[in-house]
Amino acid sequence: MAQWTSAVGAAQLARLLHSQQDRPAGPGTRRPPAYRALADGVRLLVLEGRVPVAARLPAERELALALSVSRTTVAAAYEALRAEGFLESRRGAGSWTAVPAGNPLPARGLEPLPPEALGSLIDLGTAALPAPEPWLTRAVQGALEELPPYARTHGDYPAGLPVLRAMIAERYTARGIPTMPEQIMVTTGAMGAIDAICHLFGGRGERIAVESPSYANILQLMREAGARLVPVAMAEGLTGWDLDRWRQVLREAAPRIAYVVADFHNPTGALADEDQRRRLVDAARSAGTVLVVDETMSELWLDEGVEMPRPVCGFDPAGSTVVTVGSASKAFWAGMRIGWVRAAPDVIRSLVAARAYADLGTPVLEQLAVNWLFGTGGWEQAVEVRRAQARQNRDDLLAAVRRALPSWEFEVPRGGLTLWVRAGGLSGSRLAEAGERVGVRVPSGPRFGVDGAFEGYVRLPFTVGGAVAEEAASRLAAAARLVEAGASGGGEAPRTFVA
């Protein structure tokens, strides 16, 4: 019986390997043999989760043709990976990726560090802040007071608690978007919302257009649902979407769904203006594409004087094109797993009907806690505290990175929780690996792209400040020195594989 659970084609693996870019070797730096560079490249892809564990690799001859190298080079690389525990093989079953005994399985998304690791690593992987107090405690206490009537029911509310659906609808109406409770479904976080939308509209093999770069965990969710991702490059800097590219992709690829983050985009921090929103809705409507808009960052403006554009759904009054996703997780606390969908009533009914075969509903107590926050003004007070925290952390982190890593380039976003950084010509993948060795966890750029794009980038979240931000920047600088010295893999300096 085969031990592999998925497969990586020769062309796909070649694209991923070619995406790894490093600086040219400096004077006195010894370039390793081609087989060693190939083995190092595959190992790095496995450690980053970009090639999954237990994935069948191409046959030696196939990969050699795709890379334009000799079969001997591939055979030697596979043998080196087997010796190091990153590859297993069996006659008749092929070769598949593995991790050495005792190594943790690589994360394929941006999962938080386990609590036991927090003392040894500075976690820059997760863009989430601690809970705002005392509002979390007050919200839970308020929810407990409202719980008794619900405790006498079955507790299953597939569309969400009626009081919370009505409250969310009122909040959209107050923003100038008339909304009925029938247009709202409460979900288990924004991830739960987008997962439900993808299953409703985007079956296996369907095309989904995504910003490039885009939020790593959503990209992975869509890949695992069997979607065919179609990347659409963002405009330069923080100027939002490139509408010419969007119109071309929508016209030529005809994706069933397009997923976008209009407000303080994750990871770049870009804010799309009203004209871009109107034009993208028009283009999606003309193409028959469902536009899924992630609003989870919409309340996290950090600078004074930021004028927030009208919500994207405001340009789709009939609700035939735009499906909006919101959440308490970014603006309030990641542990508050409450999200919601705003869409046309018939879409909501379909989502609710499909939920019977998924999670049935969202926890009642957490829904009551969010409803308490919305109804008492506690939400606005807590989010204001969250903005102040993120603003201070952003300013501290920017100053620390500028001092420790002056060659790194970025544009400062006016809101959100993330900074998208060009890492001075270094490989983001190798920086991530070296960072683990020196005590800082940072996600590399390719996590946020399709087929290995953005190798020269890393994402830094606004989750640490003060002395911790200084130490994080210092450790990133140490990781950069390791990569520059060609020591990110330990022992012989591994270089990027170039066919």
Side-chain angles (χ1 to χ4, degrees):
M1 180 178 177
Q3 301 298 305
W4 49 272
T5 56
S6 62
V8 180
Q12 180 187 6
L13 184 56
R15 285 196 303 271
L16 292 171
L17 288 165
H18 282 303
S19 74
Q20 298 173 338
Q21 296 175 4
D22 247 337
R23 286 180 172 174
T29 302
R30 187 158 51 115
R31 186 177 298 277
Y35 85 88
R36 182 67 260 173
L38 174 55
D40 288 335
V42 173
R43 174 182 56 79
L44 195 60
L45 292 171
V46 172
L47 288 173
E48 275 230 306
R50 291 161 61 200
V51 168
V53 175
R56 187 179 187 273
L57 294 187
E60 293 170 3
R61 189 183 302 277
E62 294 175 13
L63 187 57
L65 286 171
L67 295 173
S68 300
V69 298
S70 71
R71 183 177 177 182
T72 302
T73 296
V74 177
Y78 279 14
E79 183 57 38
L81 289 166
R82 278 190 287 269
E84 295 162 5
F86 286 95
L87 196 68
E88 296 181 9
S89 304
R90 195 174 67 218
R91 186 178 297 277
S95 299
W96 56 92
T97 56
V99 292
N103 279 37
L105 289 175
R108 300 199 65 194
L110 301 179
E111 294 84 352
L113 280 173
E116 61 270 19
L118 292 176
S120 58
L121 278 175
I122 296 175
D123 185 10
L124 298 181
T126 304
L129 291 162
E133 288 288 21
W135 292 277
L136 174 63
T137 298
R138 290 176 182 172
V140 173
Q141 291 171 341
L144 287 171
E145 293 174 3
E146 299 294 329
L147 183 61
Y150 297 94
R152 293 191 286 271
T153 73
H154 50 65
D156 286 336
Y157 296 88
L161 295 183
V163 292
L164 182 55
R165 295 176 73 196
M167 183 69 75
I168 294 170
E170 288 177 13
R171 291 174 66 83
Y172 276 105
T173 300
R175 295 168 67 189
I177 316 297
T179 303
M180 303 178 295
E182 292 79 10
Q183 291 177 262
I184 301 296
M185 181 177 84
V186 181
T187 63
T188 307
M191 292 287 288
I194 293 170
D195 183 53
I197 294 165
C198 287
H199 279 89
L200 179 64
F201 290 108
R204 185 166 291 276
E206 289 279 6
R207 293 185 180 91
I208 300 180
V210 295
E211 297 153 322
S212 183
S214 186
Y215 178 36
N217 285 340
I218 294 297
L219 294 181
Q220 190 60 35
L221 181 155
M222 292 173 175
R223 290 188 189 100
E224 293 184 356
R228 297 163 62 190
L229 300 183
V230 183
V232 186
M234 297 287 287
E236 289 298 318
L238 300 177
T239 55
W241 300 317
D242 184 326
L243 267 298
D244 290 337
R245 289 175 175 169
W246 268 106
R247 277 192 290 264
Q248 180 182 3
V249 166
L250 293 173
R251 182 177 61 251
E252 296 178 359
R256 185 71 181 92
I257 300 174
Y259 168 76
V260 297
V261 183
D263 305 302
F264 308 121
H265 173 260
N266 186 353
T268 67
L271 177 65
D273 62 33
E274 287 206 7
D275 184 59
Q276 289 176 323
R277 296 170 191 232
R278 179 184 296 105
R279 291 162 62 196
L280 184 58
V281 171
D282 290 344
R285 184 183 296 115
S286 297
T289 297
V290 176
L291 188 58
V292 181
V293 180
D294 186 333
E295 283 192 336
T296 54
M297 297 283 192
S298 64
E299 296 189 64
L300 290 176
W301 61 87
L302 304 183
D303 291 344
E304 297 293 334
V306 175
E307 293 188 14
M308 291 301 296
R310 193 178 188 199
V312 178
C313 57
F315 301 100
D316 181 41
S320 59
T321 299
V322 177
V323 176
T324 303
V325 172
S327 172
S329 298
K330 292 297 185 185
F332 186 75
W333 183 46
M336 188 68 78
R337 304 305 305 160
I338 299 295
W340 52 86
V341 178
R342 182 199 180 274
D346 61 321
V347 172
I348 295 297
R349 286 192 294 270
S350 297
L351 288 169
V352 171
R355 199 169 191 181
Y357 308 102
D359 63 356
L360 293 177
T362 301
V364 170
L365 188 64
E366 291 185 26
Q367 292 187 70
L368 289 172
V370 171
N371 191 64
W372 183 93
L373 287 165
F374 285 158
T376 62
W379 176 268
E380 285 72 22
Q381 296 172 37
V383 172
E384 184 56 43
V385 169
R386 173 67 79 235
R387 291 190 198 107
Q389 288 177 315
R391 183 185 307 116
Q392 186 62 59
N393 286 351
R394 179 195 64 179
D395 295 347
D396 290 348
L397 185 65
L398 293 178
V401 170
R402 282 170 173 151
R403 282 191 291 270
L405 294 151
S407 66
W408 287 20
E409 302 171 63
F410 50 82
E411 293 197 39
V412 182
R414 304 191 69 190
L417 290 173
T418 57
L419 184 70
W420 188 235
V421 181
R422 190 190 299 270
L426 299 179
S427 159
S429 299
R430 296 183 186 278
L431 279 168
E433 185 187 15
E436 296 275 350
R437 298 175 58 207
V438 298
V440 60
R441 181 176 184 249
V442 59
S444 67
R447 294 284 185 93
F448 304 88
V450 177
D451 281 341
F454 307 109
E455 183 60 55
Y457 289 80
V458 294
R459 190 197 73 172
L460 304 180
F462 307 144
T463 52
V464 297
V468 180
E470 291 285 350
E471 180 62 22
S474 175
R475 295 185 187 187
L476 285 172
R481 288 192 293 272
L482 285 176
V483 176
E484 287 176 323
S488 63
E492 175 71 55
R495 303 300 303 173
T496 301
F497 178 75
V498 179

